[in-house]
Amino acid sequence: MSDLPLLRDPDSVELTGTVERVVFHNEENGYTVLRLLPDKAQPGEAKVAGAPPRSLSREPVSCVGHMVNPQAGVQLRVRGRWVNNVRFGRQVEFSAAEEMLPATCEGIRLYLGSGLIKGVGEEMASRIVQAFGTDTLRVLDEEPERLLKVRGLGRKSLSRIRESWAEHRGMRDLLLFLQPHGITPAYAVRIYRAYGAQALSIVRENPYRLAMDIRGIGFLTADAAATKLGFEHNHPLRVQAGALYVLQKSTDDGNVYLPEDKLMEAVRAQLDVEPELIADALSALEADERIVREDMDDPEIPGATETGIYLRRYHHCEAKTAFYLQRLLHSPKSVRFTEVETLLEKVVGNLPIALAPEQLEAVRTAARCKIMVLTGGPGTGKTTIINAIIRLFGEVRARILLAAPTGRAAKRMAETSGREAKTIHRLLEYSPKEDGFARNEDNPLACGLLVVDEASMMDVLLFYHLLKAVPLGATLVLVGDVHQLPSVGPGNVLADIIASGVAPVVELTEIFRQSAESEIICNAHQINRGEVPCLESSKERLSDFYFIHQNDPEKAAELMVDLVKNHIPRRFGLDPVNDIQVLTPMHKGAVGAGRMNARLQEALNPNGLEVRRGDRAFRLHDKVMQVRNNYEKDVFNGDMGRIVFLDSAERSLSVSFDERIVPYDFDELDELAPAYAISIHKSQGSEYPAVVIPIMMQHYVLLQRNLIYTGVTRGKRLVVLVGESRALHMAVKNNKTRKRYTRLARRLSPRAFCF
């Protein structure tokens, strides 16, 4: 039997040519529309559907597909198929685009001058090609130092050109390898940044690393790439990577560890492999010191043992956090008070308001103990007590440091205390060069008192680094509202310390007269007690708390935009961008952060320069938020600012954070997000003159008491809830919070120590 002839798709095509124009390019996912002038004539589009194509033509061809950084003037080879687009006509839908290096002097000049290489414009490209001719690209690859012979090109420019050229070539090679494996150009940029020049070899050796190391590449994407590279379903690297991925993913939910049985169950669901293979993978990871297996008494079953599996880093941080806390508790105080009552009377006498008995006791506790937790809701006087404690320690000339997890919380602390307050990262002097904190147990902070506000926001990693730097004789005062949402990162530090009983806890419950006049504060305490506040506002006077009934999510979204743009500014004299913040329970849906940001941007900042990333547009004067820590830029997750500069030619923009200007390349825009609307979780540690919060049944999965309580307590002068009353009732009555797997409380001694 003879072999059948290989059938070829009649619409398949391979074109080489010059990019005449880039019509559209999405930086986020690499989606590109360009006009390619083919080297050879191509058949034209048929006049009538079903008729044969027209005669050959060398007209530019529309090409649509995904690629990194397309540039006009570049030579391309695209592979794909002809398609007929209803709106745009005949075009090539390409699955691969290979950049072809030019061979002629003119081609090289156009190539280098296209904006591809930072620091090389059209004029500099001409000079370089004039100096090296057709040997230019080899010089860039092998002898870049020779570029110093070019007029006007110094050491600084050379360094910039060399770095940009190496990144371009490395990314080009990486993309050619990744494209057939379903990984988009946008991720090729992130992969190259993570691994540098070794990116290609690392991905070939173990593609599963992508799921662990590259934000946005999930396990399924890495798994699909590995399958195409020949990795089997039961490959040990696959199971090991899957287990690490599940553990890492669990930290996103706030867990420090997972019980072994729950981890096994989650990995089996993720990978569809036998338990024996998972057990082997966990043993291999343990032997490789990637994970830690630890047995401890099960808190839910007396006499039973629970086996916990940790990523090694989190086990170290949790265990050492308990060690440093115990060591601090057992060390003598460096600041002692011989006549504490006399000093306390003096301090209290100089305060603008009198302290209640529970507040006085809180100040005494700080004078007596090494570690103290001060907790309470809004209006209970936490700020007053912090100031009294500061003044008390100031009377004996103690060195005092103030800190908070976020920039906004630190700024507010400085304003209310009249003293300098820093973020914990700045207090510990993070060094990007060393990728670590300068302050630690070998170089501790110089203080007799350290007060940390918004302590409920600290995750176990940050608290570990802070404790390492606290001097043994210092008094540590942790201040926070334990009823708010827990930290975004893993752990439940403040709640665990309270539960452990190792340190005295002063919980303030009394609302003082001035605060009692605020409906925001009174309603927040009602919500915290599980009581639904009155939803009908007085028509005789302006209130600071409103509930607007609207059951339709789309209409609720329209109403919120009108409130922010028109109604609240007109009635309360607030600026719609700087003073009013929309807080949402979730990101998706009609009133989620994503859709609300688009609506509010269109209403508040509709025109002007912009750059697009996926479905997001960043415009000059937009309000934006940093969404992950960037120690080199000294900006952190949750910092908010305004775009004050945008230059499409230089592919950069600048953001003003509290009057400090921070530059960003367009390739770094995944660190920023529009911030007209943000999640309630992201608002922790911040206060705003006014907040608008949607409460809809479509959020029912997240409707919990502490979520609503946290959102309401973010507003200083005005809180407006928009939505369904039954959704608010559901949230207030739901006091069940998602269990976080932490062992800090169990690692600490069950009794308090005072010295």
Side-chain angles (χ1 to χ4, degrees), residues 561-724:
V561 171
D562 184 53
L563 284 167
V564 173
K565 183 181 180 181
N566 302 311
H567 192 73
I568 294 175
R570 190 166 55 236
R571 195 168 187 192
F572 293 89
L574 297 175
D575 181 86
V577 176
N578 295 320
D579 296 337
I580 307 171
Q581 185 62 54
V582 172
L583 305 179
T584 73
M586 63 191 303
H587 292 279
K588 296 181 180 179
V591 291
R595 294 270 295 278
M596 286 306 305
N597 265 311
R599 286 176 181 264
L600 288 164
Q601 182 191 50
E602 200 56 37
L604 302 176
N605 190 25
N607 302 311
L609 293 172
E610 73 169 40
V611 57
R612 298 199 71 88
R613 299 285 291 189
D615 56 355
R616 294 175 179 174
F618 291 91
R619 292 177 184 158
L620 190 63
H621 308 308
D622 266 348
K623 180 161 66 170
V624 293
M625 173 181 278
Q626 178 78 13
V627 294
R628 66 172 180 265
N629 293 338
N630 186 320
Y631 302 110
E632 293 189 18
K633 294 183 186 296
D634 199 27
V635 288
F636 303 99
N637 190 356
D639 286 353
M640 292 178 68
R642 298 283 293 274
I643 296 176
V644 294
F645 172 81
L646 194 154
D647 189 329
S648 298
E650 283 294 313
R651 296 172 54 77
S652 67
L653 57 78
S654 296
V655 179
S656 174
F657 293 101
D658 292 327
E659 300 178 356
R660 193 169 62 87
I661 307 299
V662 179
Y664 291 81
D665 286 339
F666 284 178
D667 290 341
E668 298 174 305
L669 290 183
D670 57 349
E671 295 189 13
L672 296 174
Y676 297 102
I678 63 175
S679 69
I680 293 175
H681 229 133
K682 286 284 190 183
S683 73
Q684 284 181 273
S686 299
E687 285 185 346
Y688 311 94
V691 297
V692 179
I693 307 172
I695 312 287
M696 309 296 297
M697 286 304 296
Q698 65 178 207
H699 299 151
Y700 73 94
V701 176
L702 297 173
L703 291 178
Q704 296 175 345
R705 184 185 302 171
N706 61 353
L707 182 87
I708 305 302
Y709 174 75
T710 301
V712 167
T713 55
R714 299 308 89 202
K716 290 192 294 185
R717 293 168 54 188
L718 178 66
V719 172
V720 181
L721 306 183
V722 178
E724 301 173 72

Side-chain angles (χ1 to χ4, degrees), residues 36-225:
L36 187 74
L37 183 63
D39 293 336
K40 297 179 181 179
Q42 300 296 313
E45 186 176 359
K47 288 184 178 180
V48 181
R54 286 173 161 183
S55 58
L56 296 179
S57 167
R58 198 168 171 264
E59 292 296 315
V61 176
S62 290
C63 299
V64 179
H66 292 79
M67 62 183 297
V68 172
N69 196 22
Q71 298 287 337
V74 168
Q75 287 286 114
L76 275 188
R77 177 187 289 122
V78 298
R79 297 183 185 90
R81 61 194 305 272
W82 290 104
V83 297
N84 283 307
N85 185 284
V86 174
R87 183 176 175 187
F88 299 108
R90 194 164 185 254
Q91 56 187 211
V92 173
E93 192 176 81
F94 63 86
S95 56
E98 180 183 355
E99 186 182 298
M100 300 173 65
L101 297 180
T104 66
C105 288
E106 178 61 13
I108 294 171
R109 185 187 68 78
L110 290 171
Y111 181 66
L112 294 182
S114 66
L116 191 72
I117 310 300
K118 287 184 179 178
V120 178
E122 291 183 10
E123 186 177 344
M124 182 57 70
S126 296
R127 291 184 201 164
I128 293 172
V129 174
Q130 188 175 3
F132 303 109
T134 56
D135 202 31
T136 297
L137 299 184
R138 188 197 64 78
V139 170
L140 283 166
D141 277 336
E142 301 173 10
E143 301 176 279
E145 290 285 334
R146 290 178 62 189
L147 293 176
L148 291 172
K149 295 179 180 179
V150 177
R151 179 171 55 86
L153 202 156
R155 286 277 174 192
K156 188 174 181 180
S157 296
L158 173 64
S159 175
R160 193 179 181 195
I161 291 169
R162 174 189 274 169
E163 183 179 327
S164 186
W165 176 254
E167 182 175 334
H168 169 69
R169 291 299 301 271
M171 212 153 13
R172 173 178 173 270
D173 294 341
L174 181 65
L175 180 61
L176 288 174
F177 175 77
L178 292 175
Q179 264 191 336
H181 305 303
I183 296 176
T184 65
Y187 289 125
V189 175
R190 293 183 188 173
I191 293 166
Y192 189 85
R193 282 199 181 139
Y195 302 138
Q198 304 301 313
L200 191 53
S201 60
I202 288 172
V203 174
R204 275 183 174 142
E205 182 181 341
N206 184 2
Y208 290 107
R209 283 187 59 177
L210 298 176
M212 291 300 299
D213 299 342
I214 310 301
R215 190 178 66 85
I217 294 184
F219 182 81
L220 293 178
T221 302
D223 198 27

Side-chain angles (χ1 to χ4, degrees), residues 392-412:
L392 182 67
F393 277 73
E395 287 292 327
V396 293
R397 300 184 181 279
R399 298 193 69 174
I400 300 166
L401 293 176
L402 309 180
T406 68
R408 281 180 171 255
K411 184 179 180 181
R412 192 172 71 248

